[in-house]
Amino acid sequence: MIPAQRQKYNQQFTTEKYKAFINELEKDYKEIPFRVAETPLFIPRALKEKLIAAGEEIIDLIKQPNFKEITQKAIPAEWNVPNENEQPHFLTFDFGICKNQAGELTPMLIEMQGFPSLYGFQVHLANTFRKCFDINDTTSHFLNGFDEQTYINLLKEVIIGKHQPHEVAVMDIDAPNQKTAIDFLVTQKQLGIKILALGDIKKVGKQLFYEENGQQIQLKRIYNRLIFDEVAENTDVFKSSFDPREEVDIEWVTHPNWFYRISKYTMPFLKSEFVPETRFLNEVEEIPVDLENYVLKPLFSFAGMGVIIDVSVEDISNIPDPENWILQRKVTYEPAVQSPTGGVKAEIRMMYLWPDGGEPQLCINLGRLSRGKMIGVRYNADFDWVGGTVGFMEK
């Protein structure tokens, strides 16, 4: 999207360079199970400024005094975790890159989460792109004046807090074997924290422990990567560890309730040029006559699961719980990234860190490229120049 950068990059690109890049990315870690795209994104200053402005509008909503009140119904009763704190530690906003009526590139909000993303891996990914390809320093993957050192310092403050690294762990149902395990490994290298599967953690009274070299070490803070949807059908997994819904002596980063509060549930409360018209399905009094221009999304799902792209009146009438769905105007992605074989659609995730007692800070980003009907791995399995990437933004 920065023409000179794109032309220069495409001229130097070869399949051999890409293979060397992937080898460098996986060196010292493990094979990456998700597809990494052949190219970074080159984001012009005008688009960067719109992305920043769009994010600030969303944060204004989240910081409203009544935000918890208006999002209380977002938390399923069966997954309400006690001891919720006053703020999320992570904010991620996904924007599709589109064109506005003036023909300018503009972001449109697709998804939002009060949940962590690849905060460690994106630094490694950007550094590896720079190492393997000739990319000049007129762009940066960081925002808001951050560089690698100041970013790692803030990441450490947010994730470790006042504790020692060995008292903090990144936790998922089977953390070492998750698709995002490389992010856990990079984060461990950056911060020195533990990587624990749910089953590695044992409850004694109200305290949590893990074993290392025959010793029981108390866990003080959990960098939570467990999404409850993944274990909803198998809550027996908690019996051999601990149940997050019980009172336990632990600090959450970020507390699980924020996953629900800041989500698709929040989007109907936003009115902005950067947010497509979004309504709770149970509040739609008249079905739009141009229903082909809308998409139907379940509130409580992730990774695009359950989304109905080509909506019919019958689809709407068949939904038994319309309060748990949103009807959203479709977003038309602009194939703005020029690959050797044509335009590719792009999405940018703006990633914030929110330290205890501080303010949310925009730090870094994540990109995804797509040629399929939707953004996401399962919709792009047969294409090249698609997958996860990072945005280099014009300074």
Side-chain angles (χ1 to χ4, degrees):
M1 287 176 268
I2 302 175
Q5 297 273 16
R6 172 53 56 208
Q7 185 177 6
K8 176 186 172 186
Y9 187 90
N10 287 16
Q11 284 174 346
Q12 65 171 308
F13 180 85
T14 64
T15 303
E16 290 70 30
K17 271 192 174 183
Y18 174 65
K19 287 178 181 175
F21 158 74
I22 295 294
N23 289 338
E24 184 68 26
L25 204 57
E26 295 176 339
K27 193 174 73 175
D28 301 329
Y29 294 107
K30 60 195 295 186
E31 185 177 340
I32 300 171
F34 56 87
R35 194 174 200 286
V36 178
E38 283 82 344
T39 180
L41 294 162
F42 297 106
I43 306 295
R45 190 178 297 110
L47 180 57
K48 178 179 80 169
E49 289 171 355
K50 287 178 184 174
L51 285 159
I52 292 169
E56 287 175 350
E57 289 183 0
I58 301 168
I59 287 172
D60 284 344
L61 172 72
I62 294 167
K63 292 177 76 174
Q64 285 182 191
N66 67 339
F67 184 74
K68 278 196 171 185
E69 182 185 337
I70 66 174
T71 57
Q72 192 57 39
K73 290 180 181 177
I75 307 168
E78 67 273 24
W79 292 114
N80 199 335
V81 174
N83 302 319
E84 182 182 328
N85 66 335
E86 289 307 306
Q87 67 187 59
H89 293 94
F90 307 92
L91 295 171
T92 64
F93 306 146
D94 292 351
F95 295 96
I97 304 306
C98 308
K99 266 192 176 175
N100 61 19
Q101 289 183 329
E104 303 162 333
L105 292 178
T106 195
M108 288 297 283
L109 184 66
I110 304 298
E111 187 80 85
M112 54 198 296
Q113 288 184 322
F115 193 77
S117 183
L118 307 184
Y119 281 86
F121 178 69
Q122 288 306 107
V123 177
H124 175 53
L125 177 60
N127 288 343
T128 307
F129 265 123
R130 288 196 182 275
K131 183 174 182 178
C132 296
F133 295 92
D134 180 18
I135 298 169
N136 65 40
D137 60 3
T138 61
T139 61
S140 176
H141 51 292
F142 292 111
L143 294 115
N144 201 22
F146 279 93
D147 59 26
E148 187 159 342
Q149 191 56 58
T150 55
Y151 173 72
I152 298 297
N153 290 345
L154 182 59
L155 196 63
K156 191 175 293 185
E157 179 186 348
V158 168
I159 293 177
I160 299 175
K162 63 183 184 292
H163 303 291
Q164 297 300 311
H166 69 274
E167 298 173 321
V168 181
V170 56
M171 184 270 287
D172 205 337
I173 182 70
D174 182 16
N177 298 306
Q178 290 295 108
K179 274 195 169 185
T180 53
I182 190 165
D183 179 65
F184 305 163
L185 292 166
V186 174
T187 304
Q188 181 181 55
K189 188 174 181 180
Q190 291 165 336
L191 307 184
I193 63 175
K194 304 301 296 181
I195 299 173
L196 298 178
L198 180 65
D200 296 330
I201 301 171
K202 305 301 176 190
K203 183 182 169 197
V204 180
K206 286 190 175 183
Q207 296 180 329
L208 302 180
F209 294 85
Y210 68 93
E211 185 176 316
E212 187 168 80
N213 300 325
Q215 286 189 310
Q216 295 297 313
I217 298 171
Q218 186 181 352
L219 200 56
K220 305 282 184 69
R221 197 164 167 101
I222 289 177
Y223 178 26
N224 181 47
R225 303 297 285 268
L226 173 63
I227 295 174
F228 289 152
D229 293 38
E230 295 181 331
V231 295
E233 303 301 319
N234 182 28
T235 53
D236 286 349
V237 296
F238 296 141
K239 291 179 180 177
S240 60
S241 179
F242 77 104
D243 191 326
R245 297 165 294 184
E246 296 175 355
E247 287 276 353
V248 287
D249 183 13
I250 197 72
E251 293 175 11
W252 292 98
V253 191
T254 193
H255 191 282
N257 289 359
W258 287 104
F259 174 80
Y260 297 105
R261 289 191 186 279
I262 299 171
S263 64
K264 289 189 285 288
Y265 189 93
T266 322
M267 292 185 69
F269 300 104
L270 289 161
K271 303 293 182 266
S272 165
E273 66 175 293
F274 305 119
V275 180
E277 174 202 330
T278 306
R279 289 178 286 170
F280 294 110
L281 188 58
N282 65 319
E283 295 179 2
V284 175
E285 295 178 356
E286 288 188 23
I287 294 174
V289 292
D290 58 338
L291 197 54
E292 69 276 8
N293 293 322
Y294 288 80
V295 61
L296 203 52
K297 295 181 178 180
L299 290 175
F300 306 115
S301 72
F302 62 102
M305 299 294 285
V307 173
I308 302 174
I309 300 173
D310 300 313
V311 187
S312 68
V313 174
E314 188 179 12
D315 289 327
I316 293 175
S317 60
N318 286 341
I319 288 174
D321 55 342
E323 70 279 4
N324 292 327
W325 290 72
I326 55 173
L327 186 67
Q328 184 177 81
R329 182 167 280 278
K330 282 181 180 176
V331 167
T332 303
Y333 289 75
E334 177 69 17
V337 178
Q338 292 306 310
S339 81
T341 54
V344 181
K345 295 176 285 189
E347 201 168 273
I348 289 279
R349 174 173 293 173
M350 302 294 270
M351 297 163 59
Y352 300 72
L353 292 172
W354 196 340
D356 290 324
E359 291 291 321
Q361 298 186 52
L362 175 59
C363 302
I364 199 166
N365 76 88
L366 177 153
R368 290 189 289 184
L369 297 179
S370 172
R371 295 178 192 258
K373 201 166 190 178
M374 288 176 64
I375 298 271
V377 175
R378 64 175 60 85
Y379 307 104
N380 287 276
D382 300 323
F383 301 109
D384 61 0
W385 284 64
V386 298
T389 187
V390 65
F392 287 123
M393 306 218 175
E394 191 172 16
K395 292 180 181 177

